Amino acid sequence: MSKRLEQYFYLVLGSTLLTLGIWLFVTPNQINFGGMIGLAQLIDYFIHKFLVLPKSLNTLGMINLLMNIPLFIFGYKIMNKEFCFKTIISLIIQTVLLSILPAIKEPIVEDALLNVAFAAIICGIGVGLALRSSGCCGGIDIATVCLVKKNPDFKAGQLSIIFNVVLFGICLLIYDIKIIMYSIVFVAILYTTADKFHLQNINVAVLIFTKNKEIKEAIMKQMGRGVTYWMGKGAYTETDQEILYVAINKYEIQQLNKIVSSLDPKAFVTLAQGPMVHGGFEKRL
C-alpha cells in the first residue's frame, strides 16, 4: 500500500509540475510544447483569433482533455487498467489547473533562453515523475504505449518525432522562426530531463524461462511492458521453451510473479541485471 501511495504521489506531483511549467513559462513565452499539448496550443491560438472570447479565458486545458478522449478510447482495451486510471487523474489535474489559473500575459523574466530552460526543466521533471508512477500525462504517450504493445519492434520515439516535425512545420506558417527554434530547444531539454527521472524507476531486468506462450501476451496486456523473447531448447531434455526478457520497476516484481505463476507454475524467473537480491544474482522472484 505504501508503494502504491508513493506512485500516486509521484503522479499528482508530476502532473502539477507539468501544469505549472506550462502556466508560468510555456504559454507566456508562446513556446510550443510539442505533442498533443502543442497541438492543443495551436487550436487554442485559432479559437482566440477567430472567435470573440475574453483574453483571460484559458481554454488550453479543456482542448487538451477533449483531444485525449479519442486516444484514450482507442487505447483502453490495450492498456493496463491502472495505467488508464492514472492517466485520467493526470489529465484531470492538468485540465482543472489550466482552467482556474489566471493567464500570465508577460514572461516572468526578459531572457528568452532562461524561460525556455526553466520551462523545460520543470515540465521535464513533471513528465518524468508521472512516468515513474507507471502512468503518463496523456497525449502521444498513450498512442506510443498502444503501438508498442501491438508491435514490440516499434521504436517509441518515432511517433513523437514524426508528430512534432509536422506540428512545428505548421507552426512555421504562423509563428516567428525564433519561437519555433526556442520550442525545439525546449522539447529537447524537456525529454532529456524526463528521462533522468523516469529511467531510475525501470531498474530491474528479468528473464523468464517458460513453455507457456501466453505469458508474454499477459505481461504486455496487464503490465503495459514490452517483452523481448527468443526460443530456447533444454540441453538435457531437448524440450523447446521461450526465454522472455522484460524490464520492470521494483514495484512490479510481485505483479510479474503473480502473472507468471498463474499461467505456468513451473516457469523459472531470474534477474538478468539490477539490484542484488539477498546477495544472489539469480533469485526466484
Side-chain angles (χ1 to χ4, degrees), residues 1-11 133 251:
M1 181 60 69
S2 62
K3 300 301 182 183
R4 188 175 296 271
L5 290 175
E6 182 180 345
Q7 285 188 332
Y8 278 97
F9 171 77
Y10 284 141
L11 178 71
S133 72
Y251 305 126

Side-chain angles (χ1 to χ4, degrees), residues 208-211 215 241 260-269 284:
I208 304 167
F209 299 83
T210 178
K211 297 178 182 178
I215 290 181
Q241 62 180 341
V260 174
S261 299
S262 64
L263 293 174
D264 184 4
K266 296 182 179 180
F268 182 74
V269 184
R284 175 83 184 197

